[in-house]
Amino acid sequence: MDCDGDLAFPALVAARLLLAFAPLPDSLKYDQQLSSPLTSYSRLREGIYLFSHGIDPYSGGSFRHSPLLLSLFSTVVPLTPYTSPILWTAVDSVAAWALLKIWRLRVGATKTSRDWQVASLYLLNPYVFLPSLALSTSSIENMLCLLAVMYACRGRASASLFALACLVQLSLPSVLLLAPLILLNITRPVSRLALPRPLDTPLRRAIPLLGEFLGYTALLTLASALACGNWLWVEKTWGASLTLPDLTPNPGLWWYFFTEMFDHFRPFFLMVFSVHLLIYVAPICIKFQHDFLYAAFLLVGVLAVFKPYPTLSDPGLFISMFAVFPEIYPYLHHPIVTALIHLHASLLLPLFNSLWLRQGTGNANFFYASTLVFGMGNGAALLDAIWAGLRIAIGELKEGFEVAQE
């Protein structure tokens, strides 16, 4: 990579830092598209205030952040108007660096001509930097996710599993990534999409790694309980992803459905929605057993579509990870249509949100219709990625032949 490429990453970080200190409206911190009840900066500050004054923040109904964040930001890294923008910029920079390392490990090179493109697709992605400007803790979740994948690609199982255990403490649905990351630790991250073959690594090597992950999770869970002095945080944090107690509007597909749900049907459909997330893990890992990095990428896309409390940073992470797999670009089925749906949804979401919650000239159906369009765009991107990952194995078609999906 040339000198201009070497300077690209620091320049991108500097630009993001300047943007973080720009005089932006405080309403960003309260925007439901950028922050959810589980990632809101204002709720985090409220919990820290209560905790510092000897009041259990989990005794109420609004604080749903992990005790790890509560302990970190109330002791080690205090949040101020000056430290918060620097901290969130650093978080995004580490995430972009991890994505860049994943790309280099994928191609087996120390530097490439596409390095600046990979970093810029994360740092300049509006779905990523807008939640970061809103100081949503979803940015921290993205960083931990990319660090877990990066360390798995490097074969550093302990660091990868510890990062994943921290991520699960912050976001329970991220446990879906456990299987592909464990298997990625015992295989290689290089591209095998064009030459699929059965897994030749003994699965018994994954058993100690599973035990290590459970050990890290137990240790972090105990530390969280000691920090809070009770176990009430389990219901308020992990339980929120399973019981959906806060129906604050967000870009996801759950909130409106359960707003209209009769109470006696609620437990059944909560079980259905939660189990629905789990059914993707085994098929994706089996079908892409020759490339577990790609399987992890697809499961990140599943979370972006079906997560209980998503923000824009969830599909932002999935879209940014496309930069790691340039070999699938020629085989994407409908990339232009998918991009146009995302563009359409990115215009509808803030418009209908404003019509409903600010101007009062719309209703919940307006905003939910835009989230359905957004979900369709995310789903189209996921299906396109699955199609391309399978289609690349066929290669170039001879004249008179075509690929048919039945």
Side-chain angles (χ1 to χ4, degrees), residues 316-334:
L317 174 61
F318 177 59
I319 292 172
S320 297
M321 290 185 72
F322 266 97
V324 180
F325 309 99
E327 66 270 26
I328 68 171
Y329 294 171
Y331 303 101
L332 294 173
H333 215 184
H334 304 293

Side-chain angles (χ1 to χ4, degrees), residues 46-63 67 70 224 227-233 236:
E46 178 184 353
I48 293 172
Y49 177 83
L50 294 174
F51 187 70
S52 63
H53 285 77
I55 303 173
D56 184 2
Y58 298 104
S59 60
S62 62
F63 186 72
L70 183 66
S224 297
C228 295
N230 56 56
W231 292 93
L232 187 60
W233 65 272
K236 298 296 184 180

